[in-house]
Amino acid sequence: MTEVPTVRDAKERELSFYAPHHGVTREDSSTTKLRVVFNCSAKTSNGISFNDIQLVGPRVQDDLFDILIRFRFYKIVLIADIEKMYRQIIVDTEQRKLQKILFRDTPSEPVKVYELNTVTYGTSSAPYLSTRCIKQLSLDCQDPIIADVLGHDFYIDDLVSGGDSPDEVVHIGKNVKDLLASAGFHLRKWRSNDQTVLSEIVDQNCTATNNFEISDNEPSKTLGLGWNHSSDELFFILSQHDTDKPITKRSMLSQIGRIFDRLVSYLHN
């Protein structure tokens, strides 16, 4: 983000949008414990939000259900995700005035105005803008196998692919990783049911934040589901109930919703 003057001119005042934001702690996350959430659906003084004036864009990736079904057919699977995908895509300078925030490092400092320079989580157009970049890479790719993976084995920032032989999967992993890196997208959190394949794809000097070695019984997340590569089982992930807190109707409905909302998503995607 870039610090900017409070107001440059009257025209900019009319076209600016200041996004409310707050931090959300995610203790179950292995990488980003604190995520900033931007509320671009907040109404302005004229009753219109930033998201109200955006075009969402068409879907350019395969349905979630189709990707998950294909995942079950591979003898050797390969999973990864793009690190901070939205933050790798630059927004045109003329549009950044619609992505302003108020921020200060400490309570003792004055509040300053910043413009967000990249695609921002919470904007209606963010999923399309990011997935369309992956789609363009697939259209420009000269390798038909890699082009097919980029075009059909990604759901937002998640790579869920595989093949029937180690050589095939290594070819996919190395080339997808290199092609995405050339565009500023870096794959991390690699997973596979074949550790020899992972050792061929992931650099030896990768840090723990980029490469996680899966033990025999350690579960991984696959498109919102849990997956144990040792037993090759998919399962729903539920949080443990805090024994110090009473079980309420709200907490029960929350847990039930985590399962059935996801089932509906898979069936209707």
Side-chain angles (χ1 to χ4, degrees):
M1 61 184 182
T2 303
E3 184 181 351
V4 296
T6 304
V7 176
R8 290 172 179 159
D9 52 47
K11 182 179 179 181
E12 181 172 325
R13 184 186 296 112
E14 294 177 359
L15 296 176
S16 295
F17 177 78
Y18 290 81
H21 58 96
H22 64 278
V24 174
T25 303
R26 302 171 64 219
E27 295 296 339
D28 61 334
S29 175
S30 57
T31 51
T32 309
K33 297 294 184 182
L34 178 64
R35 170 173 290 181
V36 181
V37 176
F38 298 92
N39 182 13
C40 295
S41 295
K43 302 295 184 181
T44 61
S45 56
N46 61 7
I48 300 175
S49 72
F50 181 32
N51 282 343
D52 289 337
I53 64 174
Q54 289 193 87
L55 296 177
V56 177
R59 177 184 293 175
V60 295
Q61 293 181 326
D62 286 4
D63 290 342
L64 178 59
F65 184 76
D66 294 340
I67 296 174
L68 195 60
I69 290 296
R70 283 200 302 271
F71 165 75
R72 304 303 295 155
F73 277 88
Y74 298 129
K75 182 178 180 180
I76 301 174
V77 299
L78 188 65
I79 301 170
D81 72 48
I82 299 174
E83 181 179 9
K84 299 177 182 177
M85 183 182 188
Y86 290 173
R87 292 302 181 196
Q88 314 312 315
I89 306 169
I90 299 296
V91 172
D92 187 273
T93 54
E94 292 300 316
Q95 301 293 314
R96 294 177 190 174
K97 57 180 173 285
L98 295 169
Q99 294 190 158
K100 287 185 176 181
I101 64 169
L102 301 176
F103 185 76
R104 58 184 176 185
D105 290 321
T106 64
S108 60
E109 295 182 4
V111 175
K112 298 178 181 179
V113 179
Y114 293 87
E115 287 179 349
L116 303 177
N117 301 330
T118 58
V119 170
T120 299
Y121 182 80
T123 57
S124 298
S125 60
Y128 171 75
L129 293 174
S130 57
T131 55
R132 185 60 181 81
C133 290
I134 304 299
K135 182 68 174 180
Q136 190 61 46
L137 289 174
S138 72
L139 295 174
D140 296 339
C141 182
Q142 301 300 313
D143 186 327
I145 296 176
I146 304 306
D148 186 70
V149 170
L150 291 171
H152 300 286
D153 288 354
F154 268 91
Y155 189 78
I156 310 297
D157 60 347
D158 288 319
L159 167 66
V160 182
S161 188
D164 294 327
S165 70
D167 290 342
E168 179 186 0
V169 179
V170 169
H171 173 77
I172 290 172
K174 285 185 174 181
N175 285 276
V176 168
K177 181 182 70 170
D178 292 343
L179 183 57
L180 288 176
S182 70
F185 297 119
H186 299 284
L187 288 171
R188 63 177 181 178
K189 294 197 288 188
W190 292 89
R191 297 285 196 274
S192 178
N193 56 343
D194 189 325
Q195 293 299 316
T196 59
V197 167
L198 274 187
S199 64
E200 290 287 333
I201 297 172
V202 183
D203 297 333
Q204 294 296 321
N205 59 353
C206 278
T207 61
T209 56
N210 294 326
N211 178 27
F212 295 85
E213 183 176 350
I214 306 173
S215 64
D216 287 342
N217 296 311
E218 182 183 350
S220 306
K221 288 184 179 179
T222 305
L223 299 180
L225 288 174
W227 173 60
N228 189 302
H229 86 278
S230 180
S231 60
D232 195 22
E233 294 176 338
L234 293 172
F235 55 89
F236 291 102
I237 300 174
L238 298 178
S239 58
Q240 293 290 331
H241 176 69
D242 189 345
T243 55
D244 295 332
K245 296 180 180 179
I247 298 177
T248 63
K249 182 179 179 180
R250 179 187 294 271
S251 64
M252 290 292 293
L253 290 174
S254 175
Q255 292 289 350
I256 293 172
R258 290 187 180 188
I259 297 177
F260 286 95
D261 286 352
R262 189 162 291 147
L263 284 173
V264 171
S265 175
Y266 292 144
L267 292 174
H268 292 280
N269 243 279

